[in-house]
Each structure stands twice: as C-alpha cells, then as structure tokens.
Amino acid sequence: MGELVRDPKSDRTFYLDSPESAGSDEFVFILNLHGGGSSGQWQHGYFPADEVKDEFNLVIATPTAATAEPSRRWVAEADDEHLQNVVELVAERFGKNHIGSFWLVGHSQGGMTSNRLLRTPFFAERVDGWLSLSGGRLGPAERAPDAGRPGMSRQPGSRPTPPAGLPDADFSFIFAVGEHEIASLPDTSPWADRYGAGERQRVADVVDDQPGKVFDGRSQDPPTKAWGRLPRPGVAELYVYPDAKDGRVIADIVRLDKGHTEGLEPNITRRIVELMCAAPGGKLQRR
C-alpha cells in the first residue's frame, strides 16, 4: 500500500509510494485523487501505478478527502491547502530538482477536482499533465443515458458540474473512460487544437488478460454496465493526437465493455504510465 505519511500542517495522512532511486534520479510525481464517496485506499487500487513505480521511477501520493463517508468528496475549503502541502512535502523529501514531471490523476469527482485545481495559481504553475479517469474531458464526451450510480437521481443539478471552458494552464492531457459511460467519443479535441496537434490517430489496442484490483461492491445488486461490474480482463482502444506543440501528450482511451468503477488492469495502467513519462515536464523544477 505504500508508506503512510503525515502532513504536519493539517495532521492528515496520505499514502506515498516511491522507487528505490527517488532522491537520486529524476522521477515522475503523481498526485492520485479518488472520486466522490471513495478514499485514498480504494484509489490506490483503482489506478495501481505503484506496480510499475520502480520500472518508471514514479513517486505517487494518494490522499483522502476530509469530508466523512459516505459523501466524502474533494472540497476547496477543506482540501486544497492539504493537497498543496502534499506537493511541498514530496518536493522537500526527494528534492524538487529530481521531479522530472508532475501529473494530477483523478477518478470521477477527483478528475473534476483536478480540472478545478488546474485553474488555481499553485497547480497551474506546477502541473505538467492531467490524467482524467472518467473525470471529465477537455472538450466533453456526452454521457450515456444511464451513467451514474444505480438509483442516483437523474434530476438536473443532481450531478457535479465541471468547470466551464478550458484552463489557461499548459499541460498534457490523457482522458480514459469506460465504453458504457459515454454515448460516444468525439473524434476531435479542443485541447489538441490548442497545441496544433494533427488529426486523431488510433494506435494499437491494449489487451489485458488479468482483471483490475477494485470495483464498487455497494452497487452490484443489480449491477449496471455504465456504473461498473466485477473486475474482468479487457481491451482498451487508444487514440493519440500527434505532433502537439512542445511535445505535449494528448490522448483518449476507451476501455471496452467497462463502466465507471472497474479498476484499471495491469497493461492499460502500464501503457498510460508510458504516455505520462513521454510527456514534457520541468514546471515544478523551475519554481
């Protein structure tokens, strides 16, 4: 699970995974945010980047929002200062000059929180990339009619609203989503257009013969395809927008026959990390 580290300013803890080389070699720093009603422990299994931390030199911080279960969610007033503290603690422990790039990763409401954080000066000036795991797309993908937790209200205003427009910050962007969560994936990207990228290209599918680690056990009676079922092997379609300015990585990933809560499988996790590591960085080093 990683080391449990205490933020002395807030007296809150977070999970920290790091490779043996951290502090001597350059690494990719990931701040890994869970979705609404979830926790850092669950998110650690949903996006199990720790499994490849030594191979790719990853330092991964996985915190938990302050609000209590079952409605736990990221709130600016309660959480932003703690999240800034986590970034500063990692930079102090390992040396900011060793942080080759800094990525925000967020599932669901954690993805929308990442979008919001990227519009604040602290994160806009430091973040090199955002990985949205079913957490909203820059240039929206229409939700499937039955998207959302089974039994959740479909009334207007019952779902969180993502920030309007595009952030002003510069960063790479990867969007991953379950096939059953969206009506369709657009074949264009306003974020790719911003960086003058070429037309979207489909590259090799990613095939997993092993399941992910976690699922939503609270919503399996009965389950829905859109929300997510039990972990299973899978196939993911990968689309990239080539030749973006400054080498930015911009990609869309559709996990076939998957929904919102099925944890990522090993091979698609590895492929996403490869994309993250290929993107330009250095913003935090320059702070």
Side-chain angles (χ1 to χ4, degrees):
M1 178 60 72
E3 177 188 359
L4 196 61
V5 176
R6 184 169 301 278
D7 166 16
K9 294 181 181 179
S10 67
D11 201 35
R12 291 166 59 179
T13 57
F14 61 96
Y15 295 108
L16 184 66
D17 294 273
S18 60
E20 291 184 3
S21 62
S24 57
D25 294 337
E26 228 178 47
F27 61 87
V28 174
F29 171 35
I30 296 171
L31 182 57
N32 192 20
L33 303 183
H34 64 75
S38 187
S39 68
Q41 182 177 12
W42 193 89
Q43 180 67 14
H44 194 277
Y46 180 83
F47 180 59
D50 62 294
E51 294 187 340
V52 293
K53 64 182 175 64
D54 292 301
E55 179 180 356
F56 290 99
N57 276 344
L58 308 178
V59 171
I60 309 149
T62 311
T64 297
T67 53
E69 294 185 62
S71 58
R72 181 182 286 130
R73 58 195 306 102
W74 299 103
V75 179
E77 294 78 7
D79 296 304
D80 283 15
E81 184 176 353
H82 172 58
L83 295 176
Q84 293 177 21
N85 293 345
V86 170
V87 174
E88 291 174 342
L89 282 166
V90 168
E92 181 179 356
R93 173 182 284 205
F94 300 109
K96 73 173 186 177
N97 290 334
H98 293 297
I99 302 177
S101 64
F102 171 28
W103 277 73
L104 280 176
V105 174
H107 174 241
S108 192
Q109 195 256 345
M112 283 187 276
T113 297
S114 300
N115 192 342
R116 179 182 62 75
L117 291 173
L118 285 162
R119 300 161 196 266
T120 66
F122 182 93
F123 286 94
E125 294 168 359
R126 290 166 172 79
V127 171
D128 298 295
W130 170 28
L131 167 61
S132 174
L133 299 170
S134 303
R137 185 175 185 265
L138 294 171
E142 183 182 353
R143 289 168 63 94
D146 61 345
R149 184 186 297 276
M152 185 176 70
S153 170
R154 300 296 194 267
Q155 297 301 316
S158 63
R159 297 188 180 109
T161 302
L166 299 177
D168 291 331
D170 286 315
F171 53 89
S172 296
F173 178 58
I174 302 171
F175 173 66
V177 70
E179 176 188 18
H180 298 305
E181 296 183 76
I182 55 173
S184 62
L185 179 71
D187 57 9
T188 60
S189 164
W191 201 248
D193 292 343
R194 169 183 282 194
Y195 292 100
E199 292 185 3
R200 188 183 78 177
Q201 296 179 0
R202 182 171 175 180
V203 296
D205 291 352
V206 180
V207 179
D208 271 283
D209 59 9
Q210 298 296 317
K213 290 184 172 182
V214 300
F215 66 102
D216 185 357
R218 301 166 298 179
S219 303
Q220 298 296 319
D221 187 22
T224 66
K225 290 182 177 181
W227 187 248
R229 295 165 290 172
L230 299 178
R232 307 176 315 285
V235 176
E237 296 178 347
L238 175 56
Y239 303 88
V240 298
Y241 293 86
D243 304 320
K245 181 182 177 182
D246 299 326
R248 301 286 177 192
V249 171
I250 304 169
D252 290 321
I253 296 166
V254 180
R255 301 172 64 209
L256 300 181
D257 196 29
K258 296 297 172 70
H260 190 64
T261 57
E262 291 138 315
L264 274 72
E265 300 82 17
N267 289 340
I268 189 57
T269 299
R270 170 186 290 275
R271 188 69 180 95
I272 288 172
V273 169
E274 287 177 346
L275 291 170
M276 296 165 73
C277 291
K283 287 172 71 174
L284 206 154
Q285 289 176 335
R286 296 189 289 270
R287 291 297 306 161

